[in-house]
Amino acid sequence: MSHKHSMILLYLIVAGMIAGLLAGWYFGEDVLVVKWIGVLFLNALKMTIIPLILAAVISGVASLGDIRKLGKPGGLTMLYYLSTTIIAIIIGLILVNIIQPGQGVEMSAAALEAGVQKAQSGGDKDFSDILLSLISPNLVKSAAELQLLPLVFFAVLFGAAATTVGKAGDNIIGFFEGLNATMMKIVGWIMYFSPLGVFALVATALGEAGGGAAFMNTILGIGKYVATVMIALSVHAVVLFVIMIVLSKRGAGFLKDMMRAILTAFGTASSSATLPLTMECAQEHGLSKRSVRFVIPLGSTINMDGTALYEAIAAMFIAQMYGIELDMYDQILIVVTATLAAIGAAGIPQAGTVTMLIVLSAVGLPAEGIGILLSVDWFLDRCRTAVNTWGDAVGEAVMNKYMISTDEDEIEYAMKDET
Ligand code: ASP
């Protein structure tokens, strides 16, 4: 896609989002007639995820040429993503301690009931579940349920193994390279549909919340909580922007080029569904295909800054609401558990709301507290997903710089890529 076309598409997506907000605001539930358009768009994106992630990660890992070269970029990528997640949580904790949004908030019986239901549907996840989710006994089932973490893990293993078996491995790597290029083409086509898709998804979400007036009413009750999450997300987005400038030496043009993916993340509330577009935008910006294929899929499965930040604020909000004091030790526990919960959360709508139970149970907070958050969660979920996607993109920009500057083969490889 030419730069001019990308810009036109970006403006159309912005227009789609604004039109969606207006339509949902004024027409309320009547706007649900366009729901199918959003579902169609979401399905089209989801359709590409499994083949794309397998092909991208396998060919990306294999392109490193030698499995011994995997350790450093792999380890650094994880370290980078872990650090930004912790920074996000600390920003959240600082703001929630200053603003104290939970002071004086009353919880209705209906909210309590909703919280109990959510807590039950979440099951009793704990740390070992996160580790267990890394390796799937049934990859087809994981794929069907869009659990990407075990697929990425398998693809890394597969790509690494393929480089060690000589000619037979070359054939299979060639196949996955072809599959990757073909899937990216399809993603490029789907992107043309995104303005309409984002319009329908945003309109439907607001319509289902009862339209603008109903939404404002809900927000008013816990406005301070919504504001705390929004401010913290904005601060973190700016911190990521600074990290991007300092560590990757890129400018505002990168944010502009990633905006199509970020807005789609807002529309879909799913960073996994957005993953194909994140890769497409990063590649179009000029980041090397090799790092895009390796770093972004990894990021989209383990890196969720927005989710981690939200979970920390929500846990503190619930504590404040119930009048439970959480000391420094508890807050450190929140940092650790929110990091793990964000890693364990799938990139699908409201996954973070469920994994938050890990945080709540670690610091001994009542799980029913979630109930009061649910009414605004469809909105905050979209905002945090946008930050999740921005976080993945910045990680990619940073690692791209590192991988190019440390690997002489990269230049040759990048040139081969362009042909
Ligand atoms: N919806 C988020 C995502 O897809 C996850 C969450 O925080 O619920 O990234």
Side-chain angles (χ1 to χ4, degrees):
M1 200 182 292
S2 70
H3 186 68
K4 195 170 144 220
H5 278 165
S6 311
M7 281 300 113
I8 294 175
L9 197 59
L10 174 60
Y11 296 138
L12 287 176
I13 297 175
V14 173
M17 197 172 106
I18 295 172
L21 283 173
L22 290 175
W25 190 281
Y26 289 110
F27 298 123
E29 287 185 358
D30 292 342
V31 90
L32 297 189
V33 286
V34 300
K35 185 172 181 171
W36 65 274
I37 301 176
V39 174
L40 202 64
F41 174 59
L42 207 54
N43 287 351
L45 283 175
K46 285 184 180 166
M47 171 181 83
T48 62
I49 297 174
I50 302 298
L52 179 64
I53 208 166
L54 283 177
V57 178
I58 290 173
S59 59
V61 168
S63 74
L64 297 172
D66 177 342
I67 45 172
R68 279 167 302 183
K69 285 191 184 165
L70 180 63
K72 227 171 175 189
L76 271 177
T77 306
M78 292 211 258
L79 188 70
Y80 168 85
Y81 279 139
L82 199 66
S83 315
T84 54
T85 303
I86 294 175
I87 293 175
I89 298 174
I90 293 174
I91 292 175
L93 284 179
I94 292 176
L95 282 164
V96 77
N97 278 302
I98 296 175
I99 303 176
Q100 300 273 342
Q103 296 287 2
V105 174
E106 291 290 331
M107 207 161 158
S108 72
L112 265 174
E113 172 68 13
V116 172
Q117 275 175 16
K118 190 85 194 173
Q120 280 163 355
S121 72
D124 51 351
K125 274 182 179 273
D126 60 27
F127 299 140
S128 56
D129 288 320
I130 295 174
L131 291 176
L132 283 173
S133 68
L134 209 58
I135 297 183
S136 162
N138 185 343
L139 284 177
V140 177
K141 185 161 174 275
S142 302
E145 291 170 358
L146 272 190
Q147 291 165 356
L148 302 185
L149 199 53
L151 287 180
V152 169
F153 185 78
F154 169 76
V156 169
L157 266 186
F158 189 99
T163 59
T164 66
V165 293
K167 181 96 183 68
D170 291 346
N171 293 340
I172 195 97
I173 293 168
F175 166 77
F176 281 111
E177 291 207 343
L179 181 61
N180 182 63
T182 312
M183 291 313 300
M184 288 308 282
K185 192 81 197 173
I186 297 179
V187 170
W189 291 338
I190 296 174
M191 205 178 235
Y192 286 109
F193 190 57
S194 48
L196 209 55
V198 169
F199 159 75
L201 287 167
V202 172
T204 308
L206 190 50
E208 276 172 346
F215 177 54
M216 279 326 272
N217 265 342
T218 345
I219 284 210
L220 281 183
I222 46 171
K224 257 178 145 184
Y225 160 72
V226 176
T228 312
V229 177
M230 297 293 290
I231 295 170
L233 286 174
S234 313
V235 171
H236 187 65
V238 173
V239 169
L240 287 171
F241 186 78
V242 174
I243 291 178
M244 183 259 306
I245 292 179
V246 176
L247 293 185
S248 81
K249 308 271 183 275
R250 284 173 197 276
F254 180 66
L255 173 62
K256 210 162 155 199
D257 283 345
M258 293 312 300
M259 220 46 207
R260 282 168 290 153
I262 295 171
L263 292 176
T264 305
F266 181 85
T268 57
S270 168
S271 47
S272 290
T274 312
L275 163 77
L277 297 188
T278 317
M279 291 173 72
E280 166 81 12
C281 290
Q283 223 163 273
E284 253 187 62
H285 178 78
L287 300 187
S288 93
K289 285 185 186 171
R290 177 189 274 185
S291 66
V292 165
R293 283 184 288 182
F294 177 59
V295 178
I296 295 187
L298 198 64
S300 92
T301 42
I302 62 166
N303 179 54
M304 293 200 187
D305 295 354
T307 302
L309 173 156
Y310 150 82
E311 296 194 356
I313 294 183
M316 289 296 292
F317 172 74
I318 291 172
Q320 291 166 359
M321 204 170 55
Y322 281 95
I324 301 170
E325 265 305 308
L326 293 183
D327 59 16
M328 198 61 189
Y329 169 78
D330 290 322
Q331 299 205 22
I332 291 174
L333 208 56
I334 290 185
V335 174
V336 177
T337 49
T339 306
L340 289 170
I343 294 174
I348 54 173
Q350 302 203 319
T353 325
V354 176
T355 58
M356 194 169 71
L357 292 170
I358 299 176
V359 183
L360 296 183
S361 74
V363 284
L365 290 172
E368 307 83 69
I370 292 184
I372 196 165
L373 313 177
L374 293 179
S375 56
V376 287
D377 202 52
W378 68 270
F379 175 70
L380 292 182
D381 187 15
R382 293 181 142 68
C383 300
R384 64 185 189 249
T385 308
V387 173
N388 288 346
T389 295
W390 173 227
D392 297 342
V394 172
E396 159 55 19
V398 172
M399 287 311 297
N400 182 79
K401 173 125 183 85
Y402 165 79
M403 281 165 87
I404 289 196
S405 63
T406 54
D407 186 355
E408 299 103 42
D409 302 345
E410 173 70 24
I411 304 199
E412 193 191 316
Y413 185 85
M415 284 164 69
K416 202 175 93 196
D417 259 3
E418 302 315 325
T419 54

